Amino acid sequence: MKPEKILCSSLFFLFTFIAWNSYAQLPLQADDPPRKTDIPEFYKSKLSDVEDEIAGLKMGKTEVIATSPGGLPVYAVFYGEKEDFQSHANYNSAVGARNPVYYARKDENTKPVVYFIGPVHGQEPEGIVGMVNLLQVAETGKDYRGKAWPELKNFFEQCRVIIIPCGNPDGRKRCPYDSFVGIPVETMTKYGQGTKKDGTLWRWPQSKSLHPMVGDVGILGAYYNDDGINIMHDEFFSPMAEETKAIFKIAMEEAPDITVSLHSCSCKPFIIQNSHAPHFMKERIANLAQRLNQKYIDLKLPNMGTNWELSVSVDDMAPPPQKSFNMVSALHYASGTMAFTFESPHGTIENDADYDEILDIQLVLYREMFDYIVNNRIFWQ
Ligand SMILES: [Zn+2]
């Protein structure tokens, strides 16, 4: 073999080793339940799955929008041409001038902009499964099971779409499970919100009482990036995390009509109200939440039941701690977008959803978001 070929193949193995090593799974502790060995091929929840998907994209345009404190890339994938919004002002100044058109001219000649923010909590890989399969649908019309989603595919022709497959690669890398299907919720909580030095679990919501999560930390939860920042509760007026800055830069530049932040819990799937959005926006979110829940009922997927509805509270003057201002609240005020949080089941022992259902729950959410916004736009003109 020629010397340059030896050098070439050595470099290839070196980079392959670095890539493999940077995404290697952490070892489990002695009392942890074993990882499941039956995770289907289509359940693409790993950072290496994101890398593979991005490497194979033909239509989507990818950018590295940030580098995490742990040195990992945060990707965004863009579909459809960006409109010229003839922007003269940032959103809140335009609203101060009594018309958001000064921020972005959005009329029937412009395409809706749909913004998907993949998990900012690393122990919630269900959203990565959804995002990687959505990219596959965008490219081929089918998910990784071979199931066709013609409406979903068609919406990519009608909209500008931005997909961040994983908002917190540091956290995802630190999560030693690729799925929580059939795993106890206690294990998810241990690696999700992390532990104190004495091994006790931080748990939700006490996990938000120390931020950044630095100091009394045994296992740093996958909730946080490597600096201990929970991106959902960053300081939005002066962001601590590069990931947060990148998420907001896209919102401000793209003026999304609709935005979702993907999360999971040991629960049935549901949209969480954006408790600090204006009343009219809460009504829109409640309306979408209702439609989505009905769709889950019709499709016999896990759902919140027929009597559930998302409240549109009238107690906007209630003092803390009634509701917290978080990333989706801030996204609305940065760009006017209809931003909300979605919670998927993890499929833990306690909440019983299987791999297929979790992927369907994700893809049905995306389809309903497109359908809603294509038919219920707010124009600024
Ligand atoms: Zn979450």
Side-chain angles (χ1 to χ4, degrees):
M1 201 184 273
K2 287 181 181 173
E4 63 269 28
K5 276 202 168 172
I6 294 171
L7 178 68
C8 220
S9 57
S10 313
L11 281 175
F12 175 77
F13 283 116
L14 178 68
F15 285 124
T16 308
F17 176 76
I18 290 171
W20 174 82
N21 200 39
S22 66
Y23 294 136
Q25 264 182 333
L26 293 184
L28 298 180
Q29 296 183 339
D31 54 347
D32 289 333
R35 297 181 180 103
K36 296 291 177 188
T37 53
D38 65 345
I39 301 176
E41 194 53 32
F42 68 77
Y43 205 81
K44 298 201 178 281
S45 67
K46 300 192 285 286
L47 291 175
S48 58
D49 293 326
V50 173
E51 294 284 347
D52 291 347
E53 188 64 24
I54 280 176
L57 296 178
K58 295 202 165 52
M59 285 138 70
K61 295 185 177 66
T62 306
E63 283 178 28
V64 175
I65 56 167
T67 302
S68 71
L72 299 177
V74 180
Y75 296 107
V77 184
F78 300 82
Y79 287 91
E81 284 304 303
K82 185 176 188 301
E83 306 280 356
D84 176 7
F85 291 127
Q86 302 168 49
S87 183
H88 301 280
N90 57 319
Y91 176 71
N92 79 63
S93 186
V95 173
R98 297 285 188 266
N99 194 338
V101 73
Y102 299 118
Y103 162 64
R105 176 168 292 279
K106 292 192 154 222
D107 54 28
E108 55 270 16
N109 298 317
T110 63
K111 293 185 291 294
V113 180
V114 183
Y115 188 14
F116 295 99
I117 303 174
V120 295
H121 292 153
Q123 84 286 12
E124 298 167 6
E126 298 74 19
I128 299 180
V129 175
M131 296 284 86
V132 171
N133 276 275
L134 180 63
L135 288 168
Q136 191 62 17
V137 171
E139 298 278 323
T140 69
K142 292 179 180 171
D143 67 24
Y144 272 106
R145 297 170 296 193
K147 183 172 173 179
W149 295 83
E151 286 172 279
L152 201 42
K153 167 75 174 154
N154 195 36
F155 283 128
F156 278 82
E157 315 298 322
Q158 302 172 46
C159 301
R160 165 94 166 156
V161 186
I162 305 121
I163 297 171
I164 297 179
C166 175
N168 175 10
D170 285 1
R172 178 64 191 87
K173 184 183 163 185
R174 267 186 282 102
C175 178
Y177 290 88
D178 294 333
S179 160
F180 288 99
V181 172
I183 303 285
V185 67
E186 192 75 353
T187 307
M188 188 273 293
T189 306
K190 172 180 171 183
Y191 288 105
Q193 284 79 32
T195 70
K196 299 180 183 178
K197 283 181 174 157
D198 67 4
T200 57
L201 274 52
W202 267 103
R203 300 186 183 280
W204 182 92
Q206 208 55 28
S207 52
K208 302 183 184 190
S209 67
L210 177 64
H211 195 216
M213 177 54 78
V214 174
D216 191 2
V217 180
I219 294 171
L220 178 62
Y223 225 43
Y224 314 92
N225 70 10
D226 279 2
D227 283 342
I229 306 297
N230 175 358
I231 294 161
M232 203 61 185
H233 285 289
D234 202 337
E235 184 44 77
F236 301 107
F237 294 104
S238 180
M240 297 180 267
E242 293 303 316
E243 299 90 320
T244 314
K245 288 179 198 166
I247 288 168
F248 276 77
K249 184 166 183 283
I250 287 177
M252 291 184 286
E253 289 178 356
E254 295 282 349
D257 292 72
I258 190 166
T259 302
V260 66
S261 171
L262 296 174
H263 292 257
S264 310
C265 53
S266 202
C267 55
K268 303 291 184 195
F270 68 109
I271 286 174
I272 299 185
Q273 188 54 278
N274 183 337
S275 56
H276 283 273
H279 195 84
F280 83 97
M281 197 52 91
K282 287 182 190 168
E283 286 183 332
R284 288 169 64 84
I285 293 167
N287 187 239
L288 172 63
Q290 201 77 19
R291 288 175 184 219
L292 179 63
N293 188 50
Q294 188 57 50
K295 197 59 83 173
Y296 289 153
I297 293 169
D298 295 345
L299 294 169
K300 299 191 168 40
L301 288 166
N303 62 76
M304 298 296 283
T306 46
N307 293 326
W308 179 80
E309 59 178 27
L310 195 62
S311 70
V312 179
S313 58
V314 288
D315 59 340
D316 285 356
M317 300 303 283
Q322 308 306 333
K323 352 161 161 182
S324 78
F325 185 88
N326 64 13
M327 184 177 80
V328 293
S329 327
L331 282 167
H332 170 75
Y333 289 104
S335 67
T337 190
M338 175 178 166
F340 57 89
T341 301
F342 176 74
E343 296 282 355
S344 159
H346 282 294
T348 57
I349 288 175
E350 292 79 358
N351 100 272
D352 190 32
D354 65 27
Y355 300 109
D356 265 302
E357 288 172 333
I358 291 171
L359 178 53
D360 280 338
I361 284 166
Q362 293 287 333
L363 292 168
V364 169
L365 162 72
Y366 313 153
R367 192 177 62 194
E368 291 306 303
M369 283 175 59
F370 278 113
D371 185 67
Y372 180 86
I373 208 63
V374 164
N375 295 299
N376 296 279
R377 289 189 76 192
I378 293 176
F379 293 124
W380 294 333
Q381 52 200 340

